[in-house]
Coordinates of all heavy atoms in Angstrom, one line a residue:
M1 N 37.9 81.1 95.2 CA 37.4 80.9 93.7 C 38.0 79.6 93.2 O 39.3 79.3 93.4 CB 37.8 82.0 92.9 CG 37.0 83.3 93.1 SD 37.6 84.8 92.2 CE 37.3 84.4 90.6
T2 N 37.1 78.8 92.6 CA 37.7 77.5 92.1 C 38.3 77.7 90.8 O 38.1 78.8 90.2 CB 36.5 76.5 92.0 OG1 35.6 77.1 90.9 CG2 35.7 76.3 93.2
P3 N 39.2 76.9 90.4 CA 39.8 76.9 89.1 C 38.9 77.0 88.0 O 39.0 77.7 86.9 CB 40.8 75.7 89.0 CG 41.1 75.4 90.4 CD 39.7 75.7 91.2
S4 N 37.8 76.3 88.1 CA 36.7 76.4 87.0 C 36.2 77.7 86.8 O 35.9 78.2 85.7 CB 35.6 75.4 87.4 OG 36.1 74.0 87.6
L5 N 35.9 78.4 87.9 CA 35.4 79.8 87.9 C 36.4 80.7 87.3 O 36.0 81.6 86.5 CB 35.0 80.2 89.2 CG 34.2 81.6 89.3 CD1 33.0 81.5 88.4 CD2 33.9 81.9 90.8
L6 N 37.7 80.5 87.5 CA 38.7 81.4 86.9 C 38.8 81.2 85.5 O 38.9 82.0 84.7 CB 40.1 81.0 87.5 CG 40.2 81.5 89.0 CD1 41.5 81.0 89.5 CD2 40.1 82.9 89.1
V7 N 38.6 79.9 85.0 CA 38.5 79.6 83.6 C 37.4 80.3 82.8 O 37.4 80.8 81.8 CB 38.6 78.1 83.3 CG1 38.4 77.8 81.9 CG2 39.9 77.5 83.7
L8 N 36.2 80.2 83.6 CA 35.0 80.8 83.0 C 35.2 82.4 82.9 O 34.8 83.1 82.0 CB 33.8 80.6 83.9 CG 33.2 79.2 83.7 CD1 32.2 78.9 84.9 CD2 32.6 79.0 82.4
V9 N 35.9 83.0 83.9 CA 36.2 84.4 83.9 C 37.0 84.8 82.8 O 36.8 85.8 82.0 CB 36.7 84.9 85.3 CG1 37.2 86.3 85.2 CG2 35.5 84.8 86.3
A10 N 38.1 83.9 82.6 CA 39.1 84.2 81.4 C 38.3 84.1 80.1 O 38.5 84.9 79.2 CB 40.1 83.1 81.5
G11 N 37.3 83.1 80.0 CA 36.5 83.1 78.8 C 35.7 84.3 78.5 O 35.6 84.8 77.4
A12 N 35.2 84.9 79.6 CA 34.3 86.0 79.5 C 35.3 87.2 79.1 O 34.8 88.2 78.3 CB 33.7 86.4 80.8
F13 N 36.5 87.2 79.6 CA 37.5 88.2 79.2 C 37.7 88.2 77.7 O 37.8 89.2 77.0 CB 38.7 88.1 80.0 CG 39.8 89.1 79.5 CD1 39.8 90.4 80.0 CD2 40.9 88.6 78.8 CE1 40.9 91.2 79.7 CE2 41.9 89.6 78.5 CZ 41.9 90.8 78.9
F14 N 37.9 87.0 77.2 CA 38.1 86.8 75.8 C 36.9 87.2 74.9 O 37.0 87.6 73.9 CB 38.7 85.4 75.4 CG 40.1 85.2 75.7 CD1 40.6 84.7 76.8 CD2 41.0 85.6 74.7 CE1 41.9 84.6 77.0 CE2 42.3 85.3 74.9 CZ 42.8 84.9 76.0
V15 N 35.7 86.9 75.4 CA 34.6 87.3 74.7 C 34.5 88.8 74.5 O 34.3 89.3 73.5 CB 33.2 86.9 75.3 CG1 32.0 87.6 74.9 CG2 33.0 85.3 75.3
G16 N 34.9 89.5 75.6 CA 34.9 91.0 75.5 C 36.0 91.5 74.5 O 35.8 92.4 73.7
G17 N 37.1 90.7 74.5 CA 38.2 91.0 73.6 C 37.7 90.8 72.2 O 38.1 91.7 71.2
A18 N 37.0 89.8 71.9 CA 36.4 89.6 70.5 C 35.5 90.6 70.1 O 35.6 91.1 69.0 CB 35.9 88.1 70.5
I19 N 34.6 91.0 71.0 CA 33.7 92.1 70.6 C 34.4 93.4 70.4 O 34.1 94.1 69.5 CB 32.7 92.2 71.8 CG1 31.7 91.0 71.9 CG2 31.8 93.5 71.6 CD1 30.9 90.9 73.2
S20 N 35.4 93.7 71.1 CA 36.2 94.9 71.1 C 37.0 94.9 69.7 O 36.9 95.9 69.1 CB 37.2 95.1 72.1 OG 38.0 96.2 72.0
F21 N 37.6 93.7 69.4 CA 38.2 93.7 68.1 C 37.3 93.8 66.9 O 37.7 94.4 65.9 CB 39.0 92.4 68.0 CG 40.3 92.3 68.6 CD1 40.7 93.1 69.6 CD2 41.3 91.7 67.9 CE1 42.0 93.0 70.1 CE2 42.7 91.6 68.4 CZ 43.0 92.4 69.5
H22 N 36.1 93.3 67.0 CA 35.0 93.5 66.0 C 34.7 94.9 65.8 O 34.6 95.4 64.7 CB 33.9 92.6 66.2 CG 32.8 92.7 65.2 ND1 33.1 92.2 63.9 CD2 31.6 93.3 65.2 CE1 31.9 92.5 63.2 NE2 31.1 93.1 64.1
Q23 N 34.6 95.6 66.9 CA 34.1 97.0 66.9 C 35.2 97.9 66.3 O 34.9 98.9 65.7 CB 33.8 97.5 68.2 CG 32.4 97.0 68.7 CD 32.0 97.3 70.0 OE1 32.9 97.9 70.8 NE2 30.8 97.1 70.5
Q24 N 36.5 97.4 66.5 CA 37.7 98.2 65.9 C 38.0 97.8 64.6 O 38.9 98.3 64.0 CB 38.8 98.0 66.9 CG 38.7 98.5 68.2 CD 39.9 98.2 69.1 OE1 41.1 97.9 68.5 NE2 39.7 98.0 70.3
R25 N 37.1 97.0 64.0 CA 37.3 96.5 62.6 C 38.7 95.8 62.4 O 39.4 96.2 61.4 CB 37.1 97.6 61.6 CG 35.7 98.1 61.7 CD 35.4 99.1 60.5 NE 34.0 99.5 60.6 CZ 32.9 99.2 60.2 NH1 32.9 98.0 59.7 NH2 31.9 99.8 60.4
K26 N 39.2 95.0 63.3 CA 40.3 94.3 63.1 C 40.2 93.1 62.1 O 39.0 92.8 61.8 CB 40.7 93.7 64.6 CG 41.1 94.6 65.6 CD 42.4 95.5 65.3 CE 42.7 96.3 66.5 NZ 43.8 97.1 66.3
P27 N 41.2 92.5 61.6 CA 41.1 91.5 60.7 C 40.1 90.3 61.2 O 40.1 90.0 62.4 CB 42.5 90.9 60.5 CG 43.3 92.0 60.8 CD 42.6 92.9 61.9
L28 N 39.3 89.7 60.3 CA 38.4 88.7 60.8 C 39.1 87.6 61.4 O 38.5 87.0 62.3 CB 37.6 88.3 59.5 CG 36.5 87.3 59.9 CD1 35.4 87.9 60.7 CD2 35.9 86.9 58.5
W29 N 40.1 87.1 60.9 CA 40.9 85.9 61.4 C 41.2 86.2 63.0 O 41.1 85.2 63.8 CB 42.2 85.5 60.6 CG 43.2 86.5 60.7 CD1 43.5 87.6 59.8 CD2 44.3 86.7 61.7 NE1 44.5 88.3 60.3 CE2 45.1 87.7 61.3 CE3 44.5 85.9 62.9 CZ2 46.2 88.1 62.2 CZ3 45.6 86.2 63.6 CH2 46.4 87.4 63.3
S30 N 41.5 87.4 63.2 CA 41.9 87.7 64.7 C 40.6 87.6 65.6 O 40.7 87.0 66.8 CB 42.6 89.0 65.0 OG 41.8 90.0 64.5
V31 N 39.5 88.1 65.0 CA 38.2 88.0 65.8 C 37.8 86.6 66.0 O 37.4 86.2 67.1 CB 37.3 88.9 65.2 CG1 35.9 88.8 65.9 CG2 37.6 90.4 65.0
V32 N 37.9 85.9 64.9 CA 37.5 84.4 65.0 C 38.4 83.7 66.0 O 38.0 82.8 66.8 CB 37.6 83.8 63.6 CG1 37.3 82.3 63.6 CG2 36.5 84.4 62.8
L33 N 39.7 83.9 66.0 CA 40.6 83.2 66.9 C 40.4 83.5 68.2 O 40.3 82.6 69.1 CB 42.1 83.7 66.5 CG 43.2 83.0 67.4 CD1 43.3 81.5 67.2 CD2 44.5 83.7 67.0
I34 N 40.0 84.7 68.6 CA 39.8 85.1 70.0 C 38.5 84.6 70.3 O 38.3 84.0 71.5 CB 39.8 86.6 70.1 CG1 41.2 87.1 69.9 CG2 39.2 87.0 71.5 CD1 41.4 88.6 70.0
A35 N 37.5 84.5 69.5 CA 36.1 83.9 69.8 C 36.3 82.4 70.0 O 35.6 81.9 70.9 CB 35.2 84.2 68.6
V36 N 37.2 81.7 69.2 CA 37.3 80.3 69.4 C 37.9 80.0 70.8 O 37.6 79.1 71.5 CB 38.1 79.7 68.2 CG1 38.6 78.2 68.6 CG2 37.3 79.8 66.9
I37 N 38.9 80.8 71.1 CA 39.6 80.7 72.4 C 38.6 80.9 73.5 O 38.5 80.1 74.5 CB 40.8 81.6 72.6 CG1 41.9 81.2 71.6 CG2 41.3 81.7 74.0 CD1 42.9 82.3 71.4
A38 N 37.7 81.9 73.5 CA 36.7 82.2 74.4 C 35.7 81.0 74.5 O 35.3 80.6 75.6 CB 35.9 83.4 74.1
A39 N 35.3 80.4 73.4 CA 34.4 79.4 73.4 C 35.0 78.1 74.1 O 34.3 77.5 74.9 CB 33.9 79.0 72.0
A40 N 36.2 77.9 73.8 CA 36.9 76.7 74.4 C 37.0 77.0 75.9 O 36.8 76.0 76.7 CB 38.3 76.5 73.8
L41 N 37.5 78.1 76.3 CA 37.6 78.4 77.7 C 36.2 78.2 78.5 O 36.1 77.6 79.5 CB 38.1 79.7 78.0 CG 39.6 79.9 77.7 CD1 40.0 81.3 77.9 CD2 40.5 79.1 78.6
I42 N 35.2 78.8 77.9 CA 33.9 78.8 78.5 C 33.3 77.3 78.6 O 32.8 76.9 79.6 CB 32.9 79.7 77.8 CG1 33.2 81.2 78.2 CG2 31.5 79.5 78.3 CD1 32.5 82.2 77.4
G43 N 33.6 76.7 77.5 CA 33.1 75.2 77.4 C 33.8 74.4 78.4 O 33.2 73.6 79.1
Y44 N 35.1 74.5 78.5 CA 35.9 73.7 79.4 C 35.6 74.1 80.9 O 35.4 73.2 81.7 CB 37.4 73.9 79.2 CG 38.2 73.1 80.2 CD1 38.2 71.7 80.3 CD2 38.9 73.7 81.2 CE1 39.0 71.0 81.1 CE2 39.6 73.0 82.1 CZ 39.7 71.6 82.1 OH 40.4 70.9 83.1
G45 N 35.5 75.4 81.1 CA 35.1 75.8 82.5 C 33.7 75.3 82.9 O 33.6 74.9 84.1
A46 N 32.8 75.4 82.0 CA 31.4 74.9 82.4 C 31.4 73.4 82.6 O 30.8 72.8 83.5 CB 30.4 75.2 81.3
Y47 N 32.2 72.6 81.8 CA 32.3 71.2 81.9 C 33.0 70.9 83.2 O 32.5 70.0 84.0 CB 33.1 70.6 80.7 CG 33.4 69.1 81.0 CD1 32.4 68.1 80.9 CD2 34.7 68.8 81.3 CE1 32.7 66.9 81.1 CE2 35.0 67.4 81.5 CZ 34.0 66.5 81.4 OH 34.4 65.1 81.6
S48 N 34.2 71.5 83.5 CA 34.8 71.1 84.7 C 34.1 71.5 86.0 O 34.1 70.9 87.0 CB 36.2 71.7 84.8 OG 36.2 73.1 84.7
W49 N 33.2 72.6 85.9 CA 32.5 73.0 87.0 C 31.3 72.0 87.3 O 31.0 71.6 88.4 CB 31.9 74.5 86.8 CG 31.1 74.9 88.0 CD1 31.5 75.4 89.2 CD2 29.7 75.0 88.0 NE1 30.5 75.7 89.9 CE2 29.3 75.5 89.2 CE3 28.7 74.7 87.0 CZ2 28.0 75.7 89.6 CZ3 27.4 74.8 87.5 CH2 27.0 75.4 88.6
S50 N 30.7 71.6 86.2 CA 29.6 70.6 86.4 C 30.0 69.3 86.8 O 29.3 68.6 87.5 CB 28.7 70.5 85.1 OG 29.6 69.8 84.0
V51 N 31.2 68.9 86.5 CA 31.8 67.7 86.9 C 32.2 67.7 88.4 O 31.9 66.7 89.1 CB 32.9 67.2 86.0 CG1 33.8 66.0 86.6 CG2 32.5 66.9 84.6
S52 N 32.7 68.8 88.8 CA 33.2 68.9 90.3 C 32.1 69.2 91.3 O 32.3 69.0 92.4 CB 34.2 70.1 90.2 OG 33.6 71.3 90.0
V53 N 30.9 69.5 90.7 CA 29.8 69.9 91.7 C 29.1 68.6 92.1 O 29.1 67.6 91.6 CB 28.9 70.9 91.1 CG1 27.5 71.1 91.9 CG2 29.5 72.3 90.9

């Protein structure tokens, strides 16, 4: 597995965490924070994967 794929998997993990936090009615700031981290990881993983291919 390439490092880019690992970053994408970590981003997907954080997406699941954000959805779970939302369903548990956690504070909005924590859901937004996890969602921003997920978007950053997925964006960086997709960028680094596209550059390395």
Side-chain angles (χ1 to χ4, degrees):
M1 288 173 61
T2 64
S4 302
L5 186 59
L6 292 175
V7 172
L8 286 169
V9 169
F13 177 78
F14 275 94
V15 167
I19 292 170
S20 175
F21 268 39
H22 178 68
Q23 289 176 345
Q24 295 176 26
R25 300 190 185 273
K26 298 287 184 182
L28 182 62
W29 66 268
S30 62
V31 175
V32 170
L33 178 64
I34 293 174
V36 167
I37 292 170
L41 286 171
I42 291 172
Y44 178 71
Y47 170 75
S48 63
W49 181 75
S50 67
V51 170
S52 68
V53 169

